[in-house]
Amino acid sequence: MAREMENKLGDVCVLGLGKTGREVARYLCGQARGRVGSVTLYGGASSSEGDATRELEALGVRVVVGTEEVEGAYDLAVSSPGISEFSAFFSSAREHSREIIGEPEFAWRESPYKWVAITGTNGKTTTTTLSTALLHEGGLSAVAVGNIGNLCTGEVAARTPDEWFVAELSSFQLACTRLLHPRVACLLNVTPDHVEWHGSIEAYAAAKEKVFQNLDAGNLAIVSEEDSWCQAVISRLEARGLRVCHLNVHAQPQAPCAAFVRDGRLVVRLDGKEHDLMATTEVPIAGDHNLQNVLAASALALELGVSAQDVARGVRAFHALEHRIEPCGEVAGVRFVNDSKATNTDSVQKALTAFPKGRVVLLLGGHDKGTDLAPLAADVVRDCKAAVCFGAAGERIASALEDALAEGDGTTRVVRAPHLREAFDAAVSEAAPGDVVLLSPACSSFDEFGNMAERGRAFKQMVSDLGKKRES
């Protein structure tokens, strides 16, 4: 149940006509009479009238489309995550509003109890989903919200007092937070991504770190100590006197709070007390990065009171998420794996750790984010049997792989294909029994598909069609 608040929201401006903007506007229209003076939604320059605008107008929302020039005066503006804080649209709204915030911040203010928050460049969705499952295993009420696709605001009205919000928060969403104060906050990693939105890697990392800005000594920060950005964050958090759980898959931290692998077993230490959970071989999702995700989720659940036995049982029952190292069939002895959610280079590098070296035929390509390809190329030519490069970024990726081959002694075959369909056929031709055809593209999907899920499902359909063809 949403917290009943005496304070008025006044006149509210909502930015964006997508899912977030529509949900916030609907929520505002459902508030007690007098709490909200008016609701105005600006759709943006590319927006136009349609069913969505007519639905909102029927609720009493004033909808303005086709422009990013905000007019009038507002007590509060709520921005959708796709609108950069450095954009002219955002700036225009800020000039006409007393305060501008993002949707998770708005939801937290409406219902500011029992929140945990999870962020990082990679692993957010897996960790959020697993954390929610572990809380359920321990008998706690919990719902996954935020960037995972289930808007925080959409869950506020029906929320019960004992329900935990397990919030996956992107850098976009965190950039516009000010008061958000989770009970547990987790930062899995920081690698270059969405730099074009934030303006720099420093601004991107700073947005991620905002998940900790309001934590106090009674809370827990869970942070990987395996990359330089996160190491600096740990130092700053500990300087504030906060409890920090050090995540490390490859070494045992000496901190009083830590989650790590020791002698092939997952261990979580909280305030000096150790919980030996299970053998790494019992974890049902592959890869070192998933060991980190499991450790983070386990530490979070233990901190909130779930028993070690329930945590271990919940982990063993967990399955791969759709589009995240998702097994999707075997044809003629070749395994096919859908990792369409791997939209940056670091995610692909982590995915490769889940498979035997020299047995992967990798599908790389899509919309080119312009990121540095050298580290990815080095790992691919070291670990992969073949790489099929496709889409708008295909040529640049293929060239980077060939440069890496020229500098080393790898034997990876580099194949070019125009689109995913042709790339899939080429990968099948390169694969032999015992190999893995892995779609882990390192790019967003917008050159060919509406989103990464559409791309992943297209790949799975190709696998299904291949299986049927081989059976006939």
Side-chain angles (χ1 to χ4, degrees), residues 120-122 187-193 201 204-206 208-209 224 227-230 233 346:
T121 306
N122 298 304
L187 175 62
L188 298 166
N189 42 61
V190 176
T191 59
D193 200 13
I201 179 62
Y204 170 68
K208 292 288 190 188
E209 191 172 346
S224 169
D227 73 54
S228 58
W229 288 102
C230 291
V233 170
D346 182 68

Side-chain angles (χ1 to χ4, degrees), residues 64-75:
V64 182
V65 297
T67 181
E68 296 182 354
E69 293 293 329
V70 175
E71 297 179 348
Y74 304 95
D75 298 292

Side-chain angles (χ1 to χ4, degrees), residues 89-104:
F89 193 11
F90 191 96
S91 297
S92 180
R94 181 165 48 201
E95 289 172 4
H96 291 268
S97 307
R98 290 183 180 178
E99 184 181 22
I100 184 167
I101 60 176
E103 182 268 335

Side-chain angles (χ1 to χ4, degrees), residues 113 159 198 365 445 467 472:
Y113 56 86
R159 191 180 187 193
H198 292 279
S445 58
S472 62

